[in-house]
Amino acid sequence: MSRRPWRPALSDLFLLILFSLLLSFLFWKAIEVGADSAVRVKKSAEFPLRFRYDGTFKILQVADMHFGNGAVTRCRDVLPFESARCSDLNTTQFLRRMIEAEKPDLIAFTGDNIFGTSATDAAESLFQVFRPAMESRIPWAAILGNHDQESTMTRGELMSFISLMDYSVSQLNPPGFKIDGFGNYDIRVHGAFSSGMANTSVLNLYFLDSGDRAMVGGVRTYGWIRESQLTWLRTASQNLQQGIFPAPALTFFHIPIPEVRDLWYRGFVGKYQEAVACSMFNSGVLKSLTSMGDVKAVFLGHDHLNDFCGNIDGIWFCYGGGFGYHGYGRAGWPRRGRVILSQLRKGKKAWMGVESIRTWKRMDDETLTKTDEQVLWSDGGMEDVDH
């Protein structure tokens, strides 16, 4: 008796086709995951940084973003009607608006970029903090504050990570120097194309790690800039001033120096609304800066309710003002960012060196209100305040 040949039932054919499709899906998914996990090359900023064709170079200072976990991290110190829908995303939106309005050539993040105790994954929070800068493809630099390391990464790991992010011009530390802290480096800004100073640094930017917390005589206080950092800073300044046209310099660090407290009595431009929170130890930063001769202004973070500029021994010290919504603030007092504009002198045929350095702030309100515009330095030594 002969047997009939086996023929698969329709249900068997359906299962076979389904299984084949599943295998195909898993195969291509594996390729996709493999591509995502491949070594990724950093998208680098165009170097060197340089002045625009119109002779300007603009920096946006972003101080104290205090970013947590994004949409689930609530705002602090806002008006009652603002609180229900306010989160880290308000900080992100403010940064996008500032970038769009000012179109800076460099964004300088001056510490407490993330609020460690509220950031469950430091790397993920850093990606969220700096995403608007990376998406804009504008070069950006960052230093650390006293809260960044309170999450899942050390200060060294944070600066290494930041230096590897797209369009970041941040550095871990200067090569060849044994130096305290992480995030001590300088950036040189060259003259405009088609000028005789296109291959020369006409503006130097110094970034320093002011630390987090430290003990002095058994008392806990804020960190300070150490002698090894000042030694490197003086050396860098001396080397950069050996050219025919010594360039002016700007300095960025997070925690103010003790002398900033005295501006309450000396005068200032802006708001002085809280006590200056600095180290109880004076490491001689002001003495080093004045002896160098090239630093015209210092830009600080840390004290969110202060946004003033004041002159100490010929150097302006300026707060950025609190930028982030998860950092403490004052209800009804808008978050804010600072803008620094350097302008080249116009020669008979081409742009020359830096002629003036101006600054102003913008508020996070409907019109990004501009306030407290002033001249910090000019080549003739003139200072002026626009009220």
Side-chain angles (χ1 to χ4, degrees):
M1 187 175 176
S2 61
R3 295 183 178 179
R4 293 182 180 178
W6 178 81
R7 293 185 176 87
L10 288 176
S11 58
D12 294 331
L13 284 172
F14 176 77
L15 290 173
L16 183 62
I17 293 170
L18 186 63
F19 182 67
S20 299
L21 290 172
L22 179 61
L23 285 177
S24 178
F25 170 79
L26 292 174
F27 173 76
W28 289 109
K29 193 67 178 175
I31 292 177
E32 180 183 336
V33 171
D36 288 344
S37 61
V39 176
R40 185 175 178 278
V41 178
K42 170 185 172 178
K43 296 177 182 176
S44 297
E46 186 175 341
F47 242 73
L49 302 185
R50 65 174 63 252
F51 278 72
R52 302 179 190 178
Y53 285 102
D54 66 356
T56 62
F57 187 85
K58 185 184 289 185
I59 302 170
L60 169 61
Q61 182 196 2
V62 179
D64 297 275
M65 291 186 78
H66 277 245
F67 209 90
N69 292 321
V72 299
T73 301
R74 310 313 301 168
C75 297
R76 295 178 60 185
D77 300 325
V78 294
L79 296 171
F81 73 88
E82 298 172 317
S83 61
R85 296 184 179 180
C86 192
S87 72
D88 276 341
L89 300 186
N90 290 66
T91 304
T92 300
Q93 180 62 19
F94 181 29
L95 180 54
R96 292 188 193 280
R97 293 180 70 209
M98 286 291 285
I99 291 172
E100 176 62 27
E102 290 289 356
K103 297 177 175 55
D105 301 291
L106 176 72
I107 306 170
F109 296 92
T110 52
D112 282 358
N113 310 295
I114 62 175
F115 189 48
T117 55
S118 298
T120 54
D121 185 323
E124 177 58 32
S125 292
L126 288 174
F127 273 121
Q128 292 190 64
V129 165
F130 300 127
R131 181 169 287 123
M134 292 189 289
E135 290 177 348
S136 73
R137 302 185 180 183
I138 294 171
W140 58 275
I143 49 176
L144 302 178
N146 53 294
H147 287 299
D148 293 280
Q149 78 290 337
E150 294 171 346
S151 180
T152 57
M153 299 172 76
T154 65
R155 294 178 75 80
E157 290 168 342
L158 286 164
M159 279 309 305
S160 294
F161 191 85
I162 288 170
S163 70
L164 295 173
M165 299 178 79
D166 288 346
Y167 303 105
S168 170
V169 294
S170 314
Q171 300 170 38
L172 179 60
N173 269 331
F177 274 85
K178 187 175 181 181
I179 191 168
D180 288 286
F182 302 94
N184 304 287
Y185 56 98
D186 68 272
I187 296 175
R188 303 166 192 187
V189 185
H190 285 209
F193 276 123
S194 74
S195 74
M197 307 186 81
N199 297 317
T200 302
S201 177
V202 296
L203 178 68
N204 298 314
L205 310 176
Y206 303 130
F207 293 82
L208 293 164
D209 180 7
S210 55
D212 47 40
R213 291 281 191 170
M215 299 293 290
V216 175
V219 179
R220 192 165 182 254
T221 184
Y222 284 112
W224 62 87
I225 296 169
R226 309 291 175 128
E227 182 55 37
S228 64
Q229 297 167 273
L230 295 176
T231 299
W232 163 76
L233 181 63
R234 291 189 294 265
T235 302
S237 171
Q238 185 177 9
N239 292 337
L240 289 169
Q241 292 188 72
Q242 290 178 354
I244 300 175
F245 301 102
L250 306 175
T251 302
F252 300 82
F253 53 84
H254 183 71
I255 299 174
I257 60 174
E259 290 86 348
V260 173
R261 294 176 297 191
D262 298 336
L263 288 169
W264 178 259
Y265 307 101
R266 296 189 183 194
F268 48 87
V269 178
K271 300 296 183 183
Y272 193 143
Q273 300 183 126
E274 65 174 309
V276 173
C278 58
S279 175
M280 60 186 295
F281 179 77
N282 193 325
S283 63
V285 173
L286 180 61
K287 182 179 179 180
S288 288
L289 294 178
T290 54
S291 69
M292 288 157 48
D294 59 340
V295 175
K296 309 306 176 186
V298 176
F299 299 94
L300 311 163
H302 195 51
D303 300 325
H304 307 183
L305 297 180
N306 292 336
D307 72 352
F308 64 83
C309 285
N311 194 301
I312 309 174
D313 295 348
I315 299 174
W316 285 91
F317 287 79
C318 297
Y319 278 100
F323 195 99
Y325 278 86
H326 187 53
Y328 74 85
R330 175 173 291 175
W333 197 65
R335 266 57 174 188
R336 59 204 59 214
R338 180 172 291 279
V339 179
I340 307 131
L341 179 69
S342 298
Q343 173 71 57
L344 297 179
R345 179 181 298 281
K346 194 170 186 178
K348 292 182 179 179
K349 296 182 179 179
W351 293 111
M352 305 298 289
V354 175
E355 181 178 44
S356 65
I357 301 171
R358 303 177 66 87
T359 187
W360 60 84
K361 294 161 294 192
R362 285 196 183 274
M363 316 297 175
D364 188 18
D365 55 21
E366 289 185 7
T367 60
L368 291 177
T369 300
K370 184 178 180 180
T371 186
D372 292 332
E373 184 171 359
Q374 64 181 113
V375 173
L376 297 177
W377 177 82
S378 66
D379 196 17
M382 296 175 62
E383 295 167 358
D384 135 87
V385 176
D386 297 326
H387 294 286

